[in-house]
Amino acid sequence: MKTILGMMCAFLVVASTYAEEKPVAKFDDAALKGTWTTVKGWNNGNKVEEANLEGDITFEKGVITIKSKDITHKMSFKIDPKGKPMHIDMEGLDGPAKGFTTVGIIEVEKDSMKLAYAFPGGKRPTAFESKKDSMVFYFELKKKK
């Protein structure tokens, strides 16, 4: 009887441990894939003028291409879906950001995206905002149809 009771207690402990652990959701890269446009932006707490938001941002497997009227940036990126919110690490491949690395957070819901990232060398933001003197960029994007 003691053996059965001990086994039942052990089973309950193991079962409750697994019940408390929630599996980490896998991030579907397809949610990012495509062309996006920036609808709002802040740089170090200052609102970015609409004219400076014009252009297309294309996400393909591991590469972001930002095309504006006169500049093209290419960056590699990696997503860590375990971060809360998800983490994104980026490195400039071509254009003015070539050789720079930055860390940020990203959230994608259907055709909307929030992206906040530090100035190169800065700490990863913890919220989707850009306060004065925060050294953080924050953008809201919509997927083009």
Side-chain angles (χ1 to χ4, degrees), residues 41-59:
W42 292 265
N43 172 352
N44 205 26
N46 299 306
K47 190 166 176 82
V48 177
E49 294 179 29
E50 281 188 43
N52 294 328
L53 298 176
E54 293 176 4
D56 289 336
I57 301 154
T58 304
F59 283 79

Side-chain angles (χ1 to χ4, degrees), residues 16-121:
S16 67
T17 300
Y18 282 111
E20 290 173 15
E21 290 180 15
K22 294 181 181 171
V24 174
K26 277 194 108 180
F27 179 69
D28 181 9
D29 285 344
L32 275 178
K33 192 173 183 177
T35 303
W36 299 76
T37 186
T38 307
V39 293
K40 294 180 187 175
W42 292 265
N43 172 352
N44 205 26
N46 299 306
K47 190 166 176 82
V48 177
E49 294 179 29
E50 281 188 43
N52 294 328
L53 298 176
E54 293 176 4
D56 289 336
I57 301 154
T58 304
F59 283 79
E60 297 173 300
K61 189 166 181 78
V63 177
I64 303 168
T65 304
I66 303 168
K67 287 186 180 182
S68 63
K69 293 177 190 172
D70 36 338
I71 297 176
T72 298
H73 297 273
K74 279 196 181 228
M75 297 177 287
S76 64
F77 73 93
K78 292 180 184 176
I79 301 283
D80 178 3
K82 297 176 200 160
K84 300 289 185 213
M86 286 190 305
H87 293 179
I88 183 168
D89 295 349
M90 299 178 282
E91 181 178 351
L93 300 173
D94 197 20
K98 184 176 181 174
F100 288 102
T101 59
T102 186
V103 293
I105 54 176
I106 188 168
E107 178 180 280
V108 181
E109 289 185 14
K110 297 183 182 178
D111 67 344
S112 296
M113 180 191 307
K114 293 179 184 178
L115 174 64
Y117 58 94
F119 279 51

